[in-house]
Amino acid sequence: MPFATEPAYTHGSAERTAVLLCNLGTPDAPTAPALRRYLGQFLSDPRVVEIPRALWLPLLHGVILRTRPAKSAAKYASIWTPEGSPLATWTDKQAKLLRGWLGESGCNVLVRAAMRYGQPSIASGLDALKAEGATRILILPLYPQYSGTTTASVFDAVYAWAGRQRRVPELRFVNHYHDEPLYIEALARRVEAHWKEHGPAEQLVMSFHGVPERTLHLGDPYHCESRKTARLLAERLGLRAGRYQVTFQSRFGKAKWLQPYTEPTLIQLAQGGTRRVDVVCPGFTSDCLETLEEIAQEARAAFLQAGGQEFHYIPCLNDSPAWIAALSQVARQHLAGWPVQPADGAACARAREHALAGGAPS
């Protein structure tokens, strides 16, 4: 396989440092054809589905991709906005804000957003950074808790891209930040802001994305890191053990996944006399299908139909200042020792203001 042609190089040009902010991904549109493309890529990843390819791929292409896209498209349509996919919108805003915040702290680095599945792809993001002169790139997944199904899959995509390059940049990877104090603080402030407006619920449910239980027994740290995040958040909020629940959502297939499951737990709470619950999703840094449709719509309906009276979904961190501050701290920790161009304070302030207004930093 031939290696990629390198971008034009001008001798004496300054080398740049960059951050590639990586999220899971999203279809291009809430339509069956777009979902077929997206799910085809997502469910073909052996990190996501650890079933022998000879068994899984015929089932995927012969059954699942013929039936599931239309159902998934309807779900996506219920959360789609005039700007497009919420996950894509929030991730793009986070990248723009991060560049401004890093600039204000003296790190004048390039920042781009990329998706593991769908567009803009990780490969295209890395190509763009190289074209802008980046010779050092920090890979920063938007997954606070490490999992082989998510974080490692991002790294796989980066390694695959690097294997096609003639000149490979210096690369660093952020594995996790599930216990980063500023991340916990950002989550706590999100919950406290909601409580200030609505008052606290009888139960705070912390719902994390699920993974098959076998991954825990095979050594994946995701379950333990999710539990630690939940414990630290509860401690920061001053919640005793009986005031909060840790659950796992988004099951797929018939295998046993991490428990307790979110929706059955909500039903049990309602049937047991709990009148109001608040649900927060600490593992998701951007609102997306799993939070806006699965939790805010489906889980809400299940709780109310089981006898609950009031259900509140607390939005993800999205573009909250406390979250961007936490993300900036994580990036700075991992950029340490790499040279960065001196930052123009006034220009960085303008970039942050422009990003806050919804534009791209200049």
Side-chain angles (χ1 to χ4, degrees), residues 134-148:
T135 57
R136 307 171 193 88
I137 303 174
L138 173 66
I139 309 301
L140 176 46
L142 286 166
Y143 312 127
Q145 297 78 25
Y146 177 96
S147 172

Side-chain angles (χ1 to χ4, degrees), residues 183-193 233 236-237 317:
Y183 160 64
I184 300 299
E185 181 65 22
L187 290 171
R189 291 189 185 185
R190 202 63 154 171
V191 175
E192 288 174 337
L233 177 56
R236 166 59 180 78
L237 292 170
L317 296 171

